[in-house]
Amino acid sequence: MGNIFELFKQISDEKETRTGAFDAILVGLGNPGKKYAGTRHNAGFMQIDALLQTHGVTNLRAKFNALCGEVTIRGIRTLVMKPQTYMNESGLAVAAAADYYQLPPEKIIVVFDDISLPPGAMRIRRSGSAGGHNGIKSIINCLGSEAFPRIKIGVGQKPHKDYDLADWVLSRFTDTELKKLAVVFKKGEEALALMLSGEIEKAMNLCNQITE
């Protein structure tokens, strides 16, 4: 009997793969676990959490070494992912999902933290290098491509040059910064809807500026 169930599951999985169950993948980057919750390096996770809350998604499932959910935005069925592989191996989860659903890099949007931007700032790019971000570097290596759009969320620069970078990105936002981020996340949701609809220029015009 167990073999029959396994066969049904295999057929279901193959059907899901063939039909391309999702039109796009949205990835928020961060580190798993309560220890890292709310840290600057988890700004990508925080944007995903805000989006899921807006869409009333509360139950995520473990798949592709990530916590996965589903949202439909402007009729576009989107797989939402929070990789649980730690930041420097984020690409493993992203590549596994992209391969399973047969989606090209252009259909993958990645949201992540950027220390070169102040809290309250957001930047959208069509593609590009990793810029020193280990999560993006991993995704580029695993996909074999830089051609995925991304949203950068400002988390602020180190307070002074001697401050350890790892300590800085693993520090938590101040209350003032969190208020600014709440505005950014709302704008990020608008931008994501535009990007998924192929209107990346409009998304850039909306977000590529400082939010006061």
Side-chain angles (χ1 to χ4, degrees):
M1 185 66 69
N3 290 336
I4 292 176
F5 287 130
E6 289 174 8
L7 178 60
F8 284 152
K9 182 179 184 302
Q10 180 180 350
I11 292 172
S12 175
D13 287 346
E14 288 175 353
K15 181 179 179 182
E16 187 179 32
T17 303
R18 288 196 303 271
T19 57
F22 290 97
D23 303 306
I25 297 174
L26 171 60
V27 185
L29 297 188
N31 287 309
K34 293 182 179 180
K35 176 181 178 181
Y36 300 105
T39 60
R40 297 174 192 274
H41 223 17
N42 276 33
F45 275 11
M46 293 166 73
Q47 174 71 84
I48 294 300
D49 289 341
L51 176 73
L52 293 175
Q53 183 176 18
T54 295
H55 287 266
V57 179
T58 56
N59 295 320
L60 301 180
R61 58 175 177 155
K63 192 171 185 178
F64 309 119
N65 287 316
L67 292 178
C68 298
E70 176 185 338
V71 296
T72 299
I73 301 174
R74 294 190 176 183
I76 301 166
R77 191 178 178 206
T78 305
L79 175 69
V80 182
M81 301 180 67
K82 295 168 62 177
Q84 301 294 291
T85 52
Y86 288 97
M87 186 67 80
N88 63 355
E89 292 188 334
S90 300
L92 297 175
V94 177
D99 181 64
Y100 188 84
Y101 294 114
Q102 301 175 6
L103 290 173
E106 293 80 7
K107 296 293 185 180
I108 302 169
I109 300 174
V110 182
V111 187
F112 63 102
D113 59 293
D114 189 328
I115 61 170
S116 69
L117 300 173
M122 179 175 277
R123 293 286 186 275
I124 293 174
R125 295 288 182 265
R126 293 180 183 275
S127 61
S129 65
H133 193 284
N134 288 333
I136 297 298
K137 185 183 301 182
S138 174
I139 294 173
I140 290 172
N141 289 339
C142 290
L143 290 180
S145 172
E146 297 180 352
F148 53 90
R150 69 281 309 262
I151 298 178
K152 302 178 181 183
I153 297 175
V155 300
Q157 296 182 351
K158 298 187 299 181
H160 53 80
K161 65 178 182 179
D162 296 328
Y163 202 106
D164 183 77
L165 179 59
D167 288 341
W168 176 243
V169 297
L170 295 180
S171 67
R172 285 175 168 76
F173 295 103
T174 65
D175 289 342
T176 299
E177 290 171 337
L178 287 173
K179 289 179 181 177
K180 291 183 177 181
L181 285 174
V183 176
V184 167
F185 294 150
K186 283 298 181 184
K187 187 166 286 190
E189 291 182 38
E190 295 178 54
L192 286 166
L194 291 168
M195 294 171 76
L196 288 168
S197 302
E199 300 179 278
I200 193 168
E201 290 292 342
K202 287 186 178 181
M204 288 179 173
N205 291 335
L206 175 69
C207 294
N208 288 5
Q209 56 185 318
I210 301 296
T211 302
E212 298 294 345

mmCIF file of all heavy atoms in Angstrom, residues 3-25:
data_model
loop_
_atom_site.group_PDB
_atom_site.id
_atom_site.type_symbol
_atom_site.label_atom_id
_atom_site.label_comp_id
_atom_site.label_asym_id
_atom_site.label_seq_id
_atom_site.Cartn_x
_atom_site.Cartn_y
_atom_site.Cartn_z
ATOM 1 N N ASN A 3 3.740 1.645 -1.313
ATOM 2 C CA ASN A 3 4.301 1.870 -2.634
ATOM 3 C C ASN A 3 3.306 2.572 -3.557
ATOM 4 O O ASN A 3 3.689 3.373 -4.407
ATOM 5 C CB ASN A 3 4.734 0.548 -3.260
ATOM 6 C CG ASN A 3 5.954 -0.031 -2.560
ATOM 7 O OD1 ASN A 3 6.711 0.723 -1.955
ATOM 8 N ND2 ASN A 3 6.131 -1.335 -2.643
ATOM 9 N N ILE A 4 2.028 2.259 -3.396
ATOM 10 C CA ILE A 4 0.992 2.907 -4.212
ATOM 11 C C ILE A 4 0.940 4.399 -3.904
ATOM 12 O O ILE A 4 0.881 5.235 -4.807
ATOM 13 C CB ILE A 4 -0.388 2.259 -3.952
ATOM 14 C CG1 ILE A 4 -0.393 0.819 -4.490
ATOM 15 C CG2 ILE A 4 -1.487 3.083 -4.606
ATOM 16 C CD1 ILE A 4 -1.663 0.074 -4.201
ATOM 17 N N PHE A 5 0.982 4.747 -2.609
ATOM 18 C CA PHE A 5 0.966 6.157 -2.221
ATOM 19 C C PHE A 5 2.197 6.886 -2.754
ATOM 20 O O PHE A 5 2.127 8.033 -3.189
ATOM 21 C CB PHE A 5 0.879 6.310 -0.706
ATOM 22 C CG PHE A 5 -0.474 5.971 -0.145
ATOM 23 C CD1 PHE A 5 -0.602 5.107 0.916
ATOM 24 C CD2 PHE A 5 -1.622 6.527 -0.693
ATOM 25 C CE1 PHE A 5 -1.848 4.800 1.440
ATOM 26 C CE2 PHE A 5 -2.882 6.229 -0.188
ATOM 27 C CZ PHE A 5 -2.988 5.363 0.888
ATOM 28 N N GLU A 6 3.339 6.205 -2.699
ATOM 29 C CA GLU A 6 4.558 6.824 -3.219
ATOM 30 C C GLU A 6 4.447 7.059 -4.718
ATOM 31 O O GLU A 6 4.914 8.078 -5.239
ATOM 32 C CB GLU A 6 5.763 5.925 -2.918
ATOM 33 C CG GLU A 6 6.140 5.900 -1.437
ATOM 34 C CD GLU A 6 7.248 4.896 -1.143
ATOM 35 O OE1 GLU A 6 7.808 4.345 -2.109
ATOM 36 O OE2 GLU A 6 7.537 4.677 0.045
ATOM 37 N N LEU A 7 3.813 6.119 -5.428
ATOM 38 C CA LEU A 7 3.625 6.273 -6.870
ATOM 39 C C LEU A 7 2.713 7.449 -7.173
ATOM 40 O O LEU A 7 2.996 8.253 -8.062
ATOM 41 C CB LEU A 7 3.029 4.985 -7.454
ATOM 42 C CG LEU A 7 2.729 5.007 -8.968
ATOM 43 C CD1 LEU A 7 4.006 5.270 -9.761
ATOM 44 C CD2 LEU A 7 2.098 3.701 -9.402
ATOM 45 N N PHE A 8 1.610 7.556 -6.409
ATOM 46 C CA PHE A 8 0.702 8.695 -6.594
ATOM 47 C C PHE A 8 1.426 10.018 -6.355
ATOM 48 O O PHE A 8 1.231 10.989 -7.074
ATOM 49 C CB PHE A 8 -0.496 8.590 -5.644
ATOM 50 C CG PHE A 8 -1.522 7.582 -6.081
ATOM 51 C CD1 PHE A 8 -2.326 6.948 -5.142
ATOM 52 C CD2 PHE A 8 -1.688 7.267 -7.421
ATOM 53 C CE1 PHE A 8 -3.279 6.014 -5.534
ATOM 54 C CE2 PHE A 8 -2.638 6.342 -7.821
ATOM 55 C CZ PHE A 8 -3.433 5.705 -6.889
ATOM 56 N N LYS A 9 2.261 10.062 -5.312
ATOM 57 C CA LYS A 9 2.998 11.288 -5.005
ATOM 58 C C LYS A 9 3.964 11.627 -6.134
ATOM 59 O O LYS A 9 4.100 12.780 -6.535
ATOM 60 C CB LYS A 9 3.768 11.136 -3.698
ATOM 61 C CG LYS A 9 4.517 12.411 -3.291
ATOM 62 C CD LYS A 9 5.252 12.225 -1.988
ATOM 63 C CE LYS A 9 5.901 13.538 -1.544
ATOM 64 N NZ LYS A 9 6.846 14.059 -2.549
ATOM 65 N N GLN A 10 4.619 10.603 -6.674
ATOM 66 C CA GLN A 10 5.564 10.819 -7.772
ATOM 67 C C GLN A 10 4.848 11.375 -8.999
ATOM 68 O O GLN A 10 5.314 12.311 -9.640
ATOM 69 C CB GLN A 10 6.276 9.513 -8.128
ATOM 70 C CG GLN A 10 7.282 9.663 -9.272
ATOM 71 C CD GLN A 10 7.963 8.342 -9.597
ATOM 72 O OE1 GLN A 10 7.823 7.364 -8.873
ATOM 73 N NE2 GLN A 10 8.695 8.310 -10.686
ATOM 74 N N ILE A 11 3.688 10.799 -9.302
ATOM 75 C CA ILE A 11 2.908 11.263 -10.457
ATOM 76 C C ILE A 11 2.468 12.706 -10.240
ATOM 77 O O ILE A 11 2.537 13.537 -11.144
ATOM 78 C CB ILE A 11 1.678 10.361 -10.680
ATOM 79 C CG1 ILE A 11 2.128 8.967 -11.134
ATOM 80 C CG2 ILE A 11 0.743 10.969 -11.712
ATOM 81 C CD1 ILE A 11 1.003 7.953 -11.195
ATOM 82 N N SER A 12 2.037 13.008 -8.994
ATOM 83 C CA SER A 12 1.599 14.364 -8.686
ATOM 84 C C SER A 12 2.744 15.355 -8.820
ATOM 85 O O SER A 12 2.593 16.438 -9.388
ATOM 86 C CB SER A 12 1.041 14.416 -7.260
ATOM 87 O OG SER A 12 0.710 15.736 -6.912
ATOM 88 N N ASP A 13 3.920 14.968 -8.303
ATOM 89 C CA ASP A 13 5.083 15.848 -8.388
ATOM 90 C C ASP A 13 5.497 16.083 -9.831
ATOM 91 O O ASP A 13 5.828 17.195 -10.228
ATOM 92 C CB ASP A 13 6.269 15.251 -7.612
ATOM 93 C CG ASP A 13 6.067 15.343 -6.112
ATOM 94 O OD1 ASP A 13 5.155 16.085 -5.690
ATOM 95 O OD2 ASP A 13 6.805 14.674 -5.367
ATOM 96 N N GLU A 14 5.459 15.015 -10.643
ATOM 97 C CA GLU A 14 5.845 15.143 -12.041
ATOM 98 C C GLU A 14 4.864 16.043 -12.785
ATOM 99 O O GLU A 14 5.252 16.867 -13.617
ATOM 100 C CB GLU A 14 5.896 13.763 -12.701
ATOM 101 C CG GLU A 14 7.097 12.928 -12.230
ATOM 102 C CD GLU A 14 7.064 11.524 -12.810
ATOM 103 O OE1 GLU A 14 6.044 11.187 -13.460
ATOM 104 O OE2 GLU A 14 8.035 10.784 -12.615
ATOM 105 N N LYS A 15 3.572 15.913 -12.454
ATOM 106 C CA LYS A 15 2.565 16.746 -13.098
ATOM 107 C C LYS A 15 2.762 18.206 -12.730
ATOM 108 O O LYS A 15 2.697 19.098 -13.571
ATOM 109 C CB LYS A 15 1.161 16.291 -12.667
ATOM 110 C CG LYS A 15 0.045 17.118 -13.319
ATOM 111 C CD LYS A 15 -1.320 16.619 -12.869
ATOM 112 C CE LYS A 15 -2.440 17.450 -13.501
ATOM 113 N NZ LYS A 15 -3.772 17.013 -13.052
ATOM 114 N N GLU A 16 3.070 18.442 -11.433
ATOM 115 C CA GLU A 16 3.284 19.806 -10.977
ATOM 116 C C GLU A 16 4.486 20.412 -11.685
ATOM 117 O O GLU A 16 4.467 21.571 -12.099
ATOM 118 C CB GLU A 16 3.520 19.810 -9.462
ATOM 119 C CG GLU A 16 3.592 21.208 -8.869
ATOM 120 C CD GLU A 16 3.799 21.179 -7.377
ATOM 121 O OE1 GLU A 16 4.459 20.243 -6.892
ATOM 122 O OE2 GLU A 16 3.315 22.090 -6.704
ATOM 123 N N THR A 17 5.544 19.617 -11.875
ATOM 124 C CA THR A 17 6.731 20.111 -12.553
ATOM 125 C C THR A 17 6.431 20.436 -14.007
ATOM 126 O O THR A 17 6.811 21.478 -14.525
ATOM 127 C CB THR A 17 7.860 19.060 -12.488
ATOM 128 O OG1 THR A 17 8.124 18.748 -11.122
ATOM 129 C CG2 THR A 17 9.126 19.592 -13.128
ATOM 130 N N ARG A 18 5.733 19.533 -14.691
ATOM 131 C CA ARG A 18 5.470 19.722 -16.121
ATOM 132 C C ARG A 18 4.600 20.944 -16.379
ATOM 133 O O ARG A 18 4.796 21.690 -17.333
ATOM 134 C CB ARG A 18 4.791 18.470 -16.700
ATOM 135 C CG ARG A 18 5.703 17.262 -16.846
ATOM 136 C CD ARG A 18 5.046 16.250 -17.781
ATOM 137 N NE ARG A 18 3.735 15.842 -17.324
ATOM 138 C CZ ARG A 18 3.509 14.823 -16.504
ATOM 139 N NH1 ARG A 18 4.519 14.128 -16.030
ATOM 140 N NH2 ARG A 18 2.278 14.500 -16.138
ATOM 141 N N THR A 19 3.612 21.155 -15.520
ATOM 142 C CA THR A 19 2.663 22.228 -15.787
ATOM 143 C C THR A 19 3.176 23.592 -15.322
ATOM 144 O O THR A 19 2.571 24.605 -15.626
ATOM 145 C CB THR A 19 1.321 21.952 -15.077
ATOM 146 O OG1 THR A 19 1.563 21.786 -13.675
ATOM 147 C CG2 THR A 19 0.661 20.712 -15.634
ATOM 148 N N GLY A 20 4.323 23.612 -14.615
ATOM 149 C CA GLY A 20 4.857 24.879 -14.145
ATOM 150 C C GLY A 20 3.903 25.503 -13.156
ATOM 151 O O GLY A 20 3.221 26.475 -13.439
ATOM 152 N N ALA A 21 3.841 24.941 -11.949
ATOM 153 C CA ALA A 21 2.835 25.326 -10.966
ATOM 154 C C ALA A 21 2.903 26.796 -10.580
ATOM 155 O O ALA A 21 1.907 27.378 -10.195
ATOM 156 C CB ALA A 21 2.981 24.464 -9.718
ATOM 157 N N PHE A 22 4.069 27.412 -10.680
ATOM 158 C CA PHE A 22 4.225 28.815 -10.312
ATOM 159 C C PHE A 22 4.729 29.630 -11.501
ATOM 160 O O PHE A 22 5.487 29.142 -12.333
ATOM 161 C CB PHE A 22 5.187 28.954 -9.134
ATOM 162 C CG PHE A 22 4.617 28.436 -7.839
ATOM 163 C CD1 PHE A 22 4.928 27.154 -7.401
ATOM 164 C CD2 PHE A 22 3.769 29.212 -7.071
ATOM 165 C CE1 PHE A 22 4.403 26.664 -6.218
ATOM 166 C CE2 PHE A 22 3.229 28.728 -5.889
ATOM 167 C CZ PHE A 22 3.543 27.456 -5.461
ATOM 168 N N ASP A 23 4.295 30.885 -11.522
ATOM 169 C CA ASP A 23 4.718 31.795 -12.585
ATOM 170 C C ASP A 23 5.988 32.543 -12.218
ATOM 171 O O ASP A 23 6.687 33.073 -13.088
ATOM 172 C CB ASP A 23 3.617 32.823 -12.878
ATOM 173 C CG ASP A 23 2.299 32.156 -13.246
ATOM 174 O OD1 ASP A 23 2.301 31.334 -14.161
ATOM 175 O OD2 ASP A 23 1.276 32.464 -12.595
ATOM 176 N N ALA A 24 6.278 32.627 -10.919
ATOM 177 C CA ALA A 24 7.437 33.378 -10.458
ATOM 178 C C ALA A 24 7.835 32.898 -9.068
ATOM 179 O O ALA A 24 7.060 32.223 -8.379
ATOM 180 C CB ALA A 24 7.129 34.876 -10.423
ATOM 181 N N ILE A 25 9.048 33.252 -8.660
ATOM 182 C CA ILE A 25 9.548 32.947 -7.323
ATOM 183 C C ILE A 25 9.993 34.249 -6.674
ATOM 184 O O ILE A 25 10.696 35.056 -7.286
ATOM 185 C CB ILE A 25 10.736 31.962 -7.371
ATOM 186 C CG1 ILE A 25 10.311 30.615 -7.962
ATOM 187 C CG2 ILE A 25 11.323 31.760 -5.973
ATOM 188 C CD1 ILE A 25 11.458 29.641 -8.168
#
